[in-house]
Amino acid sequence: MDARTESTEGYRSPPGFNEDPSTDNMEGQTLEYTQSDMDRQYASFQVPRRVHILGTGSIGKLVAHSIRGIANPPPVTLLLHKRALLNAWKEGSRQVTVSDDGNEIHRKGFDVELMPDRRVQHGVELKDGQANLHDDPDVRPHRAAKALQNQDATEEPAKPVAYKELVRAEGASDDYDDTIHNLIVTTKAAYTVAALAVIKHRLKSSSTICFLQNGMGVIEEVNEKIFPDEDRRPNYMQGVITHGANVPPELAARNPYYVVHAGHGTISLSLIPSPSAKANPASLIRDNSSNVEDRETERWADSSRYLLRTLTRTPVLCAVGFTPTELLQLQLEKLAVNSVLNPLTVLLDARNGSLLYNFAVTRTLRLLLAETSLVIRSLPELQNIPNVETRFSSQRLETLVFSVANTTRNNISSMLADVRGGRQTEAEYINGYIVKRGEEMGIKCVVNYAIMQTVLGKSMLTQREARGEYATEPRDPSEI
Ligand SMILES: CC(C)(CO)C(=O)C(=O)O
């Protein structure tokens, strides 16, 4: 192979870079030991370029659209969870539209896949084509579930379906790989495990999943429920996203592939070291770097480096790579802000700006932040990191909350939008995460717990109202 080879990503390897790290270079040492940081950054990636995107909400559409907009874009597949979405794609113009400052940018060239359904009823997963357990009026659903469970124990396990239906982009090449090498997850935290369960057999230990979501604790849940075996677990990457994107309700029904890029922000990204690498960082030393986090770059998978490179070379996204420790602090800052702004806007049923200039609200907010600040400052993973006490002090977090409330004063928070839309909220991954981490350290987070339960209650109420289970009186619009 020529020394300046066209890489899989369309970049050229730097002069003198050897594509095969196992072969000796001129000094008789393996290249793996002699590459500089620069060599590693621009090294070619031995990984298929296709990027799959799970979650076609506002952020999923924005990321997919932005990636397809770069020079020499990778193929992108949108993973859909509803047939209605596939039908809308097939019957529509097969394009994603981003509206930015009133300009509509249409982009084609996406492949779309309808994922197999996953129906779990009375604790039993139903196979494709199997009737709902509630359909037979003569058999109680829980008895039908028991019968199925017994039958399943004797039957061959069902073969996982790669995809239910695939619609290729116009002019796409014939090859289509079932394996998902590079996955970006933008679904809501609460739906992640269920969505990954359907495609887990297509993710290999060489694959990388990039989680771009609000809240924390999803990766721990995915490890426990989807990839319990560390040796077979894909690589992870995580991002904190500050872009504002939404779908105007009047357009959502007409075109589910339309999104408004309302606020230009950034994506802070970091690759996440595996637990075994974290436990034994000395095993990673292969160069003279004195910084453990520098040394960790040695063993990142090709798919991780490729996905990081792809996102950071997408100008619209403004994505920047950070060390895992810095990203953790950025995540916690966002979590602290969301743990106040989101539930309070739900309870007040008002826009983010409603938290400003309201002393009763400020008092509640201070109680919440005192708890959250204590939990964050006590986290074992943040000990010995300089400036944590000041960065996560109640006073600084309060300034941060008011600053975000002010810049986003006309926004409806994502949690309020979820409650109003009858969807599950991320309260358990925001306030719930603080409560859980507090419990681990013997800190009782009663304020976070109470506010989370009230949000869950409010959300349940809205869902019941929508199903017509409560005969609530219509309210006078002037009182809302
Ligand atoms: C910062 C804030 C509160 C902006 O609305 C947000 O991140 C959200 O709504 O989830």
Side-chain angles (χ1 to χ4, degrees), residues 188 214 241 334 337-338 341-342 345 352 404-405 408 411-416 426 430:
K188 295 258 174 204
N214 260 346
I241 185 155
K334 184 157 167 50
V337 170
N338 287 141
L341 249 167
N342 293 23
T345 53
N352 295 354
V404 176
T408 64
N411 285 20
I412 289 171
S413 77
S414 54
M415 202 177 276
L416 177 56
E426 291 174 317
I430 298 176

Side-chain angles (χ1 to χ4, degrees), residues 372-432:
T372 302
S373 162
L374 177 62
V375 170
I376 296 178
R377 285 181 292 113
S378 311
L379 288 173
E381 58 269 41
L382 291 190
Q383 299 315 303
N384 305 323
I385 292 174
N387 205 32
V388 163
E389 284 294 319
T390 316
R391 185 168 180 174
F392 294 101
S393 66
S394 306
Q395 293 83 347
R396 177 161 184 274
L397 294 181
E398 186 179 320
T399 311
L400 217 54
V401 169
F402 281 129
S403 150
V404 176
N406 186 39
T407 44
T408 64
R409 59 190 171 279
N410 295 322
N411 285 20
I412 289 171
S413 77
S414 54
M415 202 177 276
L416 177 56
D418 285 341
V419 168
R420 287 182 175 173
R423 295 179 294 272
Q424 210 172 324
T425 70
E426 291 174 317
E428 283 146 299
Y429 296 85
I430 298 176
N431 304 89

Side-chain angles (χ1 to χ4, degrees), residues 51-245:
V51 176
H52 283 79
I53 300 197
L54 183 60
T56 43
S58 306
I59 296 299
K61 280 178 273 195
L62 177 67
V63 170
H65 186 276
S66 306
I67 291 180
R68 282 298 298 172
I70 61 180
N72 185 20
V76 172
T77 300
L78 306 176
L79 296 168
L80 311 179
H81 66 292
K82 280 192 203 148
R83 178 155 295 276
L85 279 174
L86 182 79
N87 291 344
W89 182 263
K90 287 202 283 195
E91 288 153 19
S93 48
R94 301 187 180 200
Q95 62 187 12
V96 176
T97 302
V98 168
S99 164
D100 193 337
D101 208 10
N103 300 314
E104 289 184 348
I105 307 149
H106 308 286
R107 200 153 275 152
K108 288 181 185 269
F110 300 90
D111 296 305
V112 301
E113 267 184 35
L114 178 63
M115 298 195 295
D117 301 321
R118 185 171 187 250
R119 286 171 305 151
V120 178
Q121 291 175 3
H122 290 265
V124 176
E125 186 163 352
L126 302 184
K127 297 196 183 80
D128 215 17
Q130 206 157 32
N132 284 324
L133 298 183
H134 310 265
D135 288 354
D136 187 343
D138 298 329
V139 184
R140 290 273 191 79
H142 70 280
R143 290 209 188 284
K146 192 128 205 139
L148 271 181
Q149 227 160 15
N150 293 337
Q151 191 184 323
D152 266 5
T154 56
E155 267 184 20
E156 285 276 297
K159 230 175 159 267
V161 189
Y163 44 79
K164 213 164 168 175
E165 205 173 323
L166 173 66
V167 180
R168 303 296 314 275
E170 216 173 284
S173 61
D174 282 345
D175 60 311
Y176 200 86
D177 190 357
D178 275 351
T179 301
I180 297 176
H181 301 275
N182 315 294
L183 177 68
I184 300 177
V185 177
T186 64
T187 48
K188 295 258 174 204
Y191 299 114
T192 305
V193 164
L196 282 178
V198 183
I199 52 169
K200 65 178 179 193
H201 59 283
R202 297 173 63 188
L203 287 149
K204 309 289 173 225
S205 59
S206 57
S207 308
T208 292
I209 308 179
C210 172
F211 296 90
L212 290 183
Q213 305 164 306
N214 260 346
M216 290 178 78
V218 175
I219 290 190
E220 290 84 338
E221 199 183 346
V222 167
N223 283 346
E224 188 193 322
K225 298 189 177 146
I226 307 288
F227 301 114
D229 180 355
E230 208 199 305
D231 292 338
R232 300 178 66 180
R233 193 176 283 166
N235 306 282
Y236 297 146
M237 209 167 120
Q238 224 170 357
V240 173
I241 185 155
T242 63
H243 288 277

Side-chain angles (χ1 to χ4, degrees), residues 188 191 342-350 412-427 451-466 475:
K188 295 258 174 204
Y191 299 114
N342 293 23
L344 287 179
T345 53
V346 169
L347 302 190
L348 299 171
D349 197 11
I412 289 171
S413 77
S414 54
M415 202 177 276
L416 177 56
D418 285 341
V419 168
R420 287 182 175 173
R423 295 179 294 272
Q424 210 172 324
T425 70
E426 291 174 317
I451 205 147
M452 173 178 79
Q453 293 301 333
T454 319
V455 167
L456 294 178
K458 169 86 181 165
S459 163
M460 221 172 270
L461 195 72
T462 325
Q463 287 170 28
R464 286 179 185 162
E465 265 180 12
R475 280 192 282 175

